[in-house]
C-alpha cells in the first residue's frame, strides 16, 4: 500500500520534481561558489587598502619656525636708522616717541613703498602734516629729537590718529630718545 501511494503521488507531481539517476536532461545541481574567486579577492584587497588609507596614522603637522622674540628697547635715531627694511632688516618707524615694527606693512613702509622715507626714522612730523617729503624728517640724527613744535590742532589730531592706528595694527618695540638722553643706550650695548 505504501508503494501505491508513492507511485500515485509521483504521478500527480510535476515532471520537474521527478528525478532519476539516469535522467541527464536536467542541469547539474548548483554548488555554493567559493568566496575566494578572483573578483572577490580583488574587491577585498581594494577594501583593505581603502580602510588602511583612511585609518593610518597621520604624521604630526610641522609648525613653521616662529619669529625671534622682540624685546622692548630704547632707540636713538642712529640706532633706528638701519631698521629701514633693506638687507633683510625689519621695518621700524617712530611716532610720538614710540617705535613700531611695521614689517607686516613692508609694501607701504619698506623700500619702494609710498612711506619709505619714514622707515628707520621718526615719522611724527611727516605723518602729522601729511607730507612724505624728506625735509619733514630730522636731518641731524645725533641732535635733539623733533619736538613737533609749531603743529596746529589738526596736525596734532592727525598725528594722534596715526599713533592709534599703529598701536592697533603693529607692535610697539621700543621708544625713541635723543643720543645724549640719560635713557639712551651706551656705545656697544
Amino acid at each position: 500500500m505504501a508503494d501505491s501511494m508513492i507511485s500515485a503521488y509521483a504521478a500527480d507531481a510535476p515532471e520537474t520534481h521527478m528525478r532519476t539517476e539516469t535522467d541527464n536532461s536536467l542541469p547539474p545541481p548548483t554548488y555554493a561558489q567559493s568566496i575566494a574567486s578572483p573578483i572577490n579577492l580583488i574587491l577585498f584587497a581594494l577594501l583593505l587598502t581603502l580602510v588602511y588609507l583612511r585609518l593610518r596614522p597621520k604624521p604630526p603637522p610641522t609648525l613653521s619656525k616662529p619669529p625671534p622674540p622682540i624685546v622692548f628697547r630704547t632707540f636713538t635715531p642712529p640706532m633706528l636708522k638701519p631698521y629701514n627694511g633693506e638687507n633683510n632688516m625689519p621695518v621700524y618707524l617712530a611716532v610720538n616717541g614710540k617705535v613700531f615694527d611695521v614689517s607686516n606693512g613692508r609694501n607701504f613702509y619698506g623700500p619702494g613703498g609710498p612711506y619709505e622715507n619714514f622707515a628707520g626714522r621718526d615719522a611724527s612730523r611727516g605723518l602729522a602734516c601729511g607730507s612724505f617729503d624728506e625735509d619733514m624728517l630730522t636731518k641731524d640724527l645725533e641732535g635733539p629729537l623733533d619736538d613737533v613744535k609749531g603743529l596746529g590742532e589738526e596736525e596734532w589730531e592727525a598725528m594722534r590718529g596715526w599713533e592709534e592706528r599703529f598701536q592697533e595694527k603693529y607692535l610697539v618695540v621700543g621708544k625713541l630718545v635723543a643720543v645724549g638722553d640719560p635713557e639712551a643706550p651706551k656705545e656697544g650695548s
Side-chain angles (χ1 to χ4, degrees):
M1 180 159 144
D3 288 336
S4 64
M5 287 179 87
I6 293 175
S7 58
Y9 177 75
D12 290 340
E15 293 180 1
T16 57
H17 290 278
M18 294 188 341
R19 286 188 54 189
T20 61
E21 292 182 28
T22 58
D23 190 7
N24 291 335
S25 64
L26 296 175
T30 53
Y31 295 102
Q33 289 186 351
S34 171
I35 62 169
S37 70
I39 189 72
N40 285 347
L41 291 176
I42 291 171
L43 289 174
F44 185 67
L46 181 63
L47 177 69
L48 284 178
T49 303
L50 290 175
V51 167
Y52 170 75
L53 291 175
R54 182 75 173 144
L55 299 178
R56 72 177 171 194
K58 297 185 177 33
T62 57
L63 301 175
S64 61
K65 184 178 177 184
I70 298 174
V71 178
F72 189 86
R73 297 177 33 193
T74 302
F75 291 91
T76 61
M79 290 173 59
L80 186 61
K81 184 71 173 149
Y83 293 94
N84 58 7
E86 294 175 356
N87 302 323
N88 292 328
M89 291 291 286
V91 183
Y92 292 176
L93 63 81
V95 177
N96 203 18
K98 295 178 184 164
V99 179
F100 295 93
D101 181 357
V102 294
S103 297
N104 291 341
R106 184 178 294 274
N107 296 348
F108 295 103
Y109 304 103
Y115 300 96
E116 72 178 326
N117 287 346
F118 300 144
R121 306 289 292 271
D122 182 5
S124 301
R125 184 173 294 274
L127 292 173
C129 296
S131 174
F132 308 118
D133 295 335
E134 190 75 30
D135 62 338
M136 287 289 163
L137 302 171
T138 306
K139 305 285 185 281
D140 182 15
L141 298 181
E142 299 290 330
L145 295 179
D146 184 2
D147 58 7
V148 289
K149 286 185 180 172
L151 294 181
E153 187 58 38
E154 287 180 21
E155 293 162 332
W156 273 102
E157 192 61 38
M159 185 176 64
R160 282 192 286 274
W162 278 101
E163 184 179 2
E164 287 174 13
R165 189 171 306 133
F166 285 134
Q167 284 180 329
E168 291 170 1
K169 199 170 182 179
Y170 302 112
L171 290 174
V172 176
V173 295
K175 66 180 180 176
L176 185 66
V177 297
V179 171
D181 192 283
E183 293 184 60
K186 305 298 182 224
E187 291 284 328
S189 60

